[in-house]
Amino acid sequence: MAKGTKDETGDGKVGEKKQKTIVFLHPDLGIGGAERLVVDAAVGLQKRGCKVVIFTSHCDPGHCFDEARDGTLDVRVRGNTVIPPSILGRFSILCAILRQIHLILSITLFTSELSKINPSGFFIDQLSAGVPLLSLLRPQTPIFFYCHFPDLLLVQNRNSSLFKRLYRIPFDALERWSMGFATSTAVNSNFTKSVVAKTWPGYPADQLKIVYPCINTSLPSSSSPDEETQPIKWGQSEKSIILSINRFERKKNIALAIQAFALLPAPARQKSKLVVAGGYDARVYENVSYHADLVSLCEKLGLKSATVKTVVSALNSSIEDVDVLFLLSVPNALKEILLKSAKLLVYTPREEHFGIVPLEAMLRGVMERVVERMGEGELREMVEEGKKRVRENFAETEMARQLEGVFEEMEGVDAKGAGALGLILVVMAGLTGAIGVGIGLWLVRTPVVKL
């Protein structure tokens, strides 16, 4: 008898529900908002009785979330032996697509690994290019695609050169076309749903589901403004912490936080410390270059800065007099301490499609420390309402429940793979041409624009 989980049947009797096996495909399981969502979704489905396997092209035990390395989740790295993540820091999207295709082929045609797992459904996010191929190879297995945001809108300096505009044409077209092969598609907010509708007018945006990302609401947090958490101390000082949590990417606009901090009156600045914490991957050119730019900005503004990578270094008293502290890839434990110790959270991205950091701050009641003129009763009400909203709408249990419902709806619905072979071959031929043209232009063009 197949392993199952208890479930309420239609007649009110308790029966056996066949265990689902959900296979996740994610490009790079590092530290970021998309990766946090994947990990939370996988853990949530696992807690609801599903078997979960995550396939990824890269997962560094030293640069990933705890659940991906401590045995909580079954994470398998495949499709990483032929194509590099980038070519001399360029062609990242092309390499990501080819690595995804290699991963899919590795577990379907080159080995019988996927057949042995026999998945009930697929969860794919961030990169939809491989969806048509997977639907062709596994036509009876439904595919769920989670769209964080249209990738074509995240490209930086798209109009910086004719070369880059031409280079992006096949990838932009592939993104829209390949999403159509998913059995069901969801986005992270109503805002993203409206953006999808505007970006691709012919896409059936009305059929998009909305599944909010979640945060861990089971973590301890102060229940009232009276329950103050002792702030982090550097040496003998008790400086107020102004906190920014974001990946080291230009679209996060971290420079604004530094510029605003520099504009504080000198007495106020001497009593405060700006802590910039977030995801950082030394393999990613933008992470490295943007961090360097932020350090240079501090120097220009006359702010003393320091960069640390470990918890021990972060708590070292030798950085007591630092104005701006950069914390690279902070672990969950340190992030919790920072959130509880911060006097103010500064969130700087413009037009962010979904910001998880404000929810984390809302859950922990961080903002009440700066609203000094509020009455105690009004303050307590605001804090509790914020926590209530987070727990009701953004709890990990709620996201897992919604996702399980999506997979139940897709049961018995075949993937959209019929008749796709010809189209797939055409697209692959187009990609091959784009590779040749792109590399040719790159070799002869000087200077080269970073992609």
Side-chain angles (χ1 to χ4, degrees):
M1 181 176 177
K3 181 181 178 181
T5 55
K6 294 292 183 180
D7 185 36
E8 290 293 332
T9 59
D11 57 4
K13 297 179 180 179
V14 177
E16 284 289 317
K17 181 175 66 173
K18 183 179 179 182
Q19 183 188 42
K20 296 182 182 65
T21 300
I22 309 300
V23 168
F24 284 66
L25 272 69
H26 185 78
D28 186 336
L29 200 62
I31 296 178
E35 289 70 39
R36 185 67 259 174
L37 181 142
V38 167
V39 168
D40 288 336
V43 171
L45 287 171
Q46 205 163 255
K47 288 180 177 179
R48 293 185 69 87
C50 298
K51 177 182 177 181
V52 173
V53 179
I54 299 179
F55 286 102
T56 180
S57 296
H58 180 81
C59 184
D60 180 359
H63 185 76
C64 65
F65 290 109
D66 295 340
E67 298 91 335
R69 63 166 169 255
D70 64 8
T72 301
L73 295 172
D74 182 356
V75 178
R76 308 182 188 185
V77 178
R78 303 288 187 270
N80 63 328
T81 57
V82 177
I83 309 297
S86 64
I87 302 174
L88 299 179
R90 301 167 172 84
F91 304 107
S92 298
I93 182 63
L94 172 62
C95 291
I97 291 173
L98 294 177
R99 283 164 71 87
Q100 185 183 61
I101 292 173
H102 182 204
L103 187 157
I104 292 172
L105 294 176
S106 296
I107 62 177
T108 55
L109 294 183
F110 302 160
T111 69
S112 59
E113 188 170 12
L114 193 62
S115 296
K116 293 178 180 178
I117 296 173
N118 191 26
S120 311
F122 293 105
F123 182 115
I124 302 179
D125 77 306
Q126 207 167 46
L127 193 61
S128 61
V131 173
L133 177 61
L134 187 61
S135 68
L136 177 69
L137 297 173
R138 299 282 304 191
Q140 295 183 342
T141 306
I143 300 173
F144 171 72
F145 181 72
Y146 193 94
C147 175
H148 300 276
F149 205 68
D151 181 69
L152 67 89
L153 298 180
L154 299 176
V155 179
Q156 298 180 30
N157 302 318
R158 170 186 292 275
N159 297 318
S160 60
S161 69
L162 176 62
F163 164 64
K164 190 159 189 177
R165 290 197 296 272
L166 293 174
Y167 171 76
R168 283 295 313 190
I169 289 175
F171 304 114
D172 294 344
L174 178 62
E175 180 182 16
R176 160 65 181 88
W177 174 75
S178 58
M179 279 179 59
F181 284 83
T183 312
S184 182
T185 302
V187 292
N188 56 21
S189 64
N190 279 301
F191 171 72
T192 300
K193 183 175 181 177
S194 67
V195 170
V196 170
K198 293 177 182 178
T199 304
W200 299 307
Y203 190 86
D206 59 316
Q207 298 179 17
L208 292 174
K209 301 179 185 301
I210 297 176
V211 178
Y212 291 125
C214 71
I215 61 175
N216 188 350
T217 58
S218 64
L219 294 172
S221 60
S222 61
S223 59
S224 72
D226 298 329
E227 298 179 14
E228 291 293 331
T229 302
Q230 292 298 319
I232 295 177
K233 292 184 179 181
W234 281 278
Q236 300 301 314
S237 68
E238 293 188 12
K239 291 188 174 183
S240 297
I241 295 177
I242 299 176
L243 179 63
S244 169
I245 300 180
N246 279 298
R247 291 192 307 277
F248 284 87
E249 297 177 356
R250 287 178 173 80
K251 67 182 181 182
K252 299 300 184 180
N253 202 20
I254 301 172
L256 179 61
I258 297 175
Q259 292 163 345
F261 183 76
L263 291 175
L264 285 175
R269 196 168 62 242
Q270 290 171 0
K271 297 177 182 178
S272 306
K273 185 186 297 291
L274 176 61
V275 177
V276 179
Y280 178 93
D281 190 338
R283 301 175 305 122
V284 178
Y285 172 81
E286 185 182 15
N287 290 176
V288 177
S289 64
Y290 191 45
H291 170 250
D293 290 346
L294 294 175
V295 172
S296 298
L297 177 62
C298 289
E299 294 176 357
K300 292 178 182 178
L301 296 175
L303 301 174
K304 184 178 179 181
S305 68
T307 300
V308 298
K309 300 180 180 180
T310 66
V311 176
V312 175
S313 299
L315 301 178
N316 196 315
S317 61
S318 65
I319 58 176
E320 177 180 351
D321 297 328
V322 169
D323 298 308
V324 181
L325 178 63
F326 295 103
L327 300 179
L328 309 185
S329 298
V330 294
N332 286 338
L334 179 56
K335 184 177 73 171
E336 288 302 318
I337 295 174
L338 290 170
L339 281 167
K340 291 178 182 179
S341 302
K343 186 171 185 180
L344 176 67
L345 176 76
V346 181
Y347 197 65
T348 53
R350 290 188 60 190
E351 298 183 348
E352 185 82 342
H353 45 280
F354 194 95
I356 204 73
V357 174
L359 292 182
E360 294 177 320
M362 192 185 301
L363 176 67
R364 291 157 183 81
V366 172
M367 302 305 289
E368 84 270 14
R369 295 187 176 92
V370 298
V371 190
E372 298 177 352
R373 289 177 290 180
M374 268 191 173
E376 182 177 344
E378 186 180 3
L379 176 59
R380 188 184 302 273
E381 182 181 358
M382 182 190 73
V383 172
E384 293 306 320
E385 283 298 318
K387 294 179 181 179
K388 179 182 177 183
R389 174 167 171 75
V390 171
R391 292 192 172 104
E392 288 181 352
N393 296 282
F394 306 102
E396 64 276 22
T397 53
E398 175 62 17
M399 183 176 72
R401 183 192 65 77
Q402 291 183 358
L403 289 175
E404 186 178 37
V406 171
F407 281 105
E408 288 178 350
E409 289 178 6
M410 295 193 301
E411 284 183 357
V413 180
D414 292 348
K416 301 176 183 179
L421 180 58
L423 289 173
I424 290 176
L425 293 177
V426 170
V427 172
M428 293 304 296
L431 279 177
T432 303
I435 295 171
V437 172
I439 292 179
L441 289 172
W442 174 60
L443 290 174
V444 301
R445 186 180 185 276
T446 304
V448 176
V449 178
K450 297 287 185 181
L451 301 177

